[in-house]
Amino acid sequence: MTSHQHFPKEFRRAVVERVNRSNGYGWCAYEDIEDFFSEIVDLENLPSADGRYENAAVDLHAHTVWNEDYEFESLLRDARFDPLLMTDPQFKKFVETGLRNDFQRRLLPPNEAGRLHDSSFEGDEGRPIADLIRPMFQSIGFDIVHRTEFGVGVGYQVVSAKVNASNQGRAHSANPAPLQYKGLQFRSKCEIDFFKDIYSAGFLVAPLPVFVHKPTRRRVEPDFVIVKFGIWAIIELDGKAWHNESPADASRRLEPFTDENVRIIRFTDGELASSEGRGRAVSEILRKFENWRMSR
């Protein structure tokens, strides 16, 4: 895994979980598990997890055809088939194979397509996978479009998309923020949850803005810049639950702001893990801003 991935790990996890959580069928609902993964990886050159078999091809056949004791979802946590560990081309193929499965299943008659035609479906369950994940791919400069052969629809493909230029969430061009909410980019679900709370509190909010610092020739991306009463401050969310960056590294990253005496407020993963914790954090921020206003 390199830092120059088109599909960062956090983005991949969000895509896979979006389908697993919201779609009634998942990624592999139309064809055999063995056939699914054979589209993505060379099964004959992957090791078997069962010592009785010579490679992953025989392993999968034995445990998904002869005996159905391998589940697709559990295989996604197997290092041989984990989408988070795939190369970019493999992950793209994984998504396209899942999209094709979903597309072809929807061509079946109602009595064969199963719960697709069940009136008990609610919410996202049963929606086409393409509709579920297209906004996610669009948020990082890709799109999901119909694929045709000889004028006939056969599935979907992931393609690069021309997107409107935006610095937001793109301080590191090789690692854009992978998540999207209300047309804005975020690097973690916690950032989205915190954005909702701080926005509801009446602050002017800029999530993941990009600043350029000439002395160090660096682009700096704080988690949030917030403004109220004509006062502005930076909010940083620290914690392994959503950032790989250590607090010390974050402090070095924010030196251009501390050198300019910009106010920085930090919170840890423990403080923001719950809605109650985020509520207390917002209240603390409001108190700080009130104190700063009174001291001017």
Side-chain angles (χ1 to χ4, degrees), residues 181-199:
Y181 174 75
K182 298 292 187 182
L184 297 168
Q185 312 302 123
F186 296 88
R187 295 195 178 278
S188 67
K189 183 178 182 300
C190 179
E191 289 181 351
I192 295 175
D193 292 337
F194 183 79
F195 169 78
K196 295 175 183 177
D197 292 336
I198 198 72
Y199 176 77

Side-chain angles (χ1 to χ4, degrees), residues 16-37:
V16 172
E17 291 180 354
R18 179 78 170 100
V19 173
N20 287 344
R21 184 176 65 249
S22 302
N23 182 275
Y25 297 91
W27 293 97
C28 183
Y30 180 76
E31 64 184 331
D32 292 335
I33 292 175
E34 179 187 359
D35 293 337
F36 182 97
F37 283 114

Side-chain angles (χ1 to χ4, degrees), residues 4 12 14 30 40 44 50 58 74 89 93-94 101 108 128 156 174 194-195 202 205 231 242 244 250 267 279 288:
H4 299 288
R12 296 175 184 219
Y30 180 76
I40 303 161
E44 293 185 355
D50 186 328
V58 185
S74 64
K93 189 65 176 177
F94 170 85
N101 262 263
L108 295 173
Y156 296 88
F194 183 79
F195 169 78
V205 189
I231 302 166
W242 48 76
N244 292 325
F267 294 100
K288 287 180 180 291

Side-chain angles (χ1 to χ4, degrees), residues 163-175:
V163 297
N164 294 328
S166 171
N167 293 329
Q168 195 256 328
R170 292 178 177 270
H172 312 288
S173 58
N175 184 28

Side-chain angles (χ1 to χ4, degrees), residues 56-74:
V58 185
D59 182 12
L60 282 186
H61 192 80
H63 289 280
T64 63
V65 179
W66 298 339
N67 298 290
E68 298 181 358
D69 53 356
Y70 276 1
E71 294 184 353
F72 183 81
E73 287 73 17
S74 64

